[in-house]
Amino acid sequence: MTDPQYIVDFASERCTKEHIDLVGGKNASLGELMEAGENVQVPPGFAVTTAFYDAFLEARSLDEYIADRIAEVDIDDDEAVAAASREIRDRITNASLPSFLAEELQSSWERLQERTRTAELQVAVRSSATAEDLPDASFAGQQDTYLNVTDLETVTQRTKECMASLFTERAITYREKHGFDRDEVRISVGIQKMVEARSSGVMFTVNPANGDRSKVRIESNWGLGEAVVSGIVTPDSFLVDKPVYKIVDRNVPEKDVMTVPTDAGTEEVDIDDDKRDVPSVTADELIGLTDLATTIEDHYDEPQDIEWAIEGEGEDKRYFILQSRPETAWEEAGDDGEATDDGSEPDSAADQILDHL
């Protein structure tokens, strides 16, 4: 009998772009990143696979319940969709894992503790849907992510909550109106060691303002990258010329808040006065990030949207890549960078990024 592969390590040969049906888009990307180059460091972790998700739903008869509940909903009735979403998510999060799945999750958690040499392991629990990176669909941001989870019991609950987020009102409506079969979109969950980020953010291996592929746009803030990704802070922004590693544009606004880990997850705190108008990355770090961006883009052979973090200072400093996905806003662009049909450019890089998200 074939091993159902309920859980696979990010470094496994089963966690690549050829296995998106098993581990979803985000987890497959993490597995791919581990092959991108020696200087590309990815925090260790594992994927709770779609086989785990299927077995959980089947063992608790949730698959039949979900199919029947959605089938009876008028998808144009917002209140009916909201009620169905609430009931489905409650069923999933309140159901217990069958013992064989609970044991698999516990074993993987303990192996990750051993690998990271800590009994006080802190992880991110991220949804990884099988259809989130389809070029003709927009699933990004529809499922949940939880940061700084510190114990197996909470990991288990957050894993179920990630699975349940496949049935938010928005996700149900989107799939039904766009004709996605319920079996076509399934979910995996990534459990990944948290980085003790001094600074973090995102970078695009194409200038999002005009599609120029000779540039890297880097956006950063102190602390965890959620403050940048969620838009609660105007980040430092730098434009670097790839061929010569020259910083050609920079904007360092006053930054008021940053995201930090807490016992309950994360929270936004005020940035110390002496760091508010100081760049959250140095010139040398921008060069290091640009080098990583180029390596990752070469690996995928297309522009990328990359989440990164820097841990530590001086000789103990380490760069980590937390995620990489295709940068699709300029996928129609030619090599000359003229991406829009009418020759116009968006109002700003921030507007373009927000429109894409």
Side-chain angles (χ1 to χ4, degrees), residues 43-44 112 116 121-126 145-150 191-197 224-226 259-262 265-266 309 311 320 322:
L112 186 58
T116 57
L121 179 61
Q122 299 171 329
V123 298
V125 182
R126 300 180 185 273
T145 288
Y146 300 95
L147 301 179
N148 211 48
V149 181
T150 58
I191 314 295
Q192 185 178 35
K193 182 183 181 298
M194 289 280 294
V195 173
E196 296 179 16
L224 301 176
E226 293 305 298
T259 305
V260 298
T262 68
T266 62
E311 181 179 274
F320 288 96
L322 310 178

Side-chain angles (χ1 to χ4, degrees), residues 32-343:
E32 284 288 322
L33 281 167
M34 290 185 166
E35 301 298 323
E38 291 183 359
N39 63 330
V40 179
Q41 296 188 65
V42 178
F46 57 87
V48 177
T49 68
T50 56
F52 186 111
Y53 166 78
D54 290 340
F56 170 43
L57 264 56
E58 182 179 358
R60 297 298 181 241
S61 300
L62 291 168
D63 49 350
E64 297 176 3
Y65 168 76
I66 292 169
D68 292 342
R69 187 68 182 85
I70 293 179
E72 66 187 25
V73 173
D74 178 357
I75 205 65
D76 294 315
D77 183 338
D78 291 344
E79 291 186 2
V81 174
S85 170
R86 184 169 54 253
E87 292 166 14
I88 291 170
R89 296 179 76 178
D90 285 347
R91 287 282 186 107
I92 293 173
T93 56
N94 291 330
S96 61
L97 292 180
S99 59
F100 68 98
L101 293 180
E103 290 168 4
E104 286 269 353
L105 187 56
Q106 179 177 351
S107 295
S108 296
W109 174 256
E110 290 172 352
R111 284 196 298 271
L112 186 58
Q113 286 179 315
E114 292 173 3
R115 182 176 177 185
T116 57
R117 297 185 178 88
T118 177
E120 299 179 354
L121 179 61
Q122 299 171 329
V123 298
V125 182
R126 300 180 185 273
S127 303
S128 180
T130 57
E132 61 194 3
D133 289 326
L134 290 179
D136 57 348
S138 180
F139 289 94
Q142 289 191 9
Q143 279 76 57
D144 288 348
T145 288
Y146 300 95
L147 301 179
N148 211 48
V149 181
T150 58
D151 60 87
L152 177 60
E153 181 180 356
T154 309
V155 165
T156 301
Q157 187 61 27
R158 294 308 192 197
T159 295
K160 291 190 293 181
E161 289 171 6
C162 283
M163 292 175 175
S165 70
L166 196 60
F167 300 98
T168 62
E169 298 169 47
R170 176 188 171 203
I172 291 172
T173 301
Y174 185 91
R175 290 195 300 269
E176 294 297 312
K177 288 191 173 182
H178 288 80
F180 285 91
D181 189 273
R182 294 185 194 100
D183 294 332
E184 188 176 355
V185 184
R186 292 145 69 226
I187 196 162
S188 169
V189 180
I191 314 295
Q192 185 178 35
K193 182 183 181 298
M194 289 280 294
V195 173
E196 296 179 16
R198 186 212 74 208
S199 302
S200 53
V202 297
M203 55 184 172
F204 305 86
T205 65
V206 57
N207 185 352
N210 58 18
D212 183 355
R213 291 187 63 173
S214 71
K215 305 293 189 295
V216 174
R217 171 68 70 184
I218 299 172
E219 300 188 345
S220 67
N221 191 38
W222 302 109
L224 301 176
E226 293 305 298
V228 176
V229 175
S230 64
I232 67 170
V233 66
T234 300
D236 296 336
S237 181
F238 307 90
L239 192 65
V240 184
D241 190 284
K242 290 180 191 175
V244 295
Y245 289 85
K246 179 180 180 181
I247 302 167
V248 296
D249 183 57
R250 55 184 279 152
N251 180 41
V252 182
E254 184 170 300
K255 301 170 288 295
D256 297 324
V257 298
M258 64 179 182
T259 305
V260 298
T262 68
D263 291 341
T266 62
E267 67 176 0
E268 281 73 51
V269 301
D270 291 339
I271 294 174
D272 293 341
D273 291 342
D274 61 351
K275 295 174 66 175
R276 290 192 173 192
D277 58 359
V278 174
S280 49
V281 286
T282 67
D284 286 346
E285 289 166 353
L286 289 170
I287 300 306
L289 289 169
T290 299
D291 193 47
L292 285 169
T294 302
T295 298
I296 293 169
E297 182 179 49
D298 288 346
H299 176 76
Y300 286 105
D301 198 27
E302 62 180 333
Q304 295 290 298
D305 169 0
I306 301 164
E307 296 178 26
W308 56 269
I310 297 175
E311 181 179 274
E313 301 277 0
E315 295 182 0
D316 295 329
K317 180 167 53 187
R318 300 177 70 187
Y319 298 79
F320 288 96
I321 301 300
L322 310 178
Q323 187 58 247
S324 184
R325 61 183 66 85
E327 204 295 317
T328 56
W330 294 97
E331 64 182 353
E332 301 296 331
D335 291 336
D336 59 1
E338 294 180 359
T340 51
D341 291 339
D342 60 1

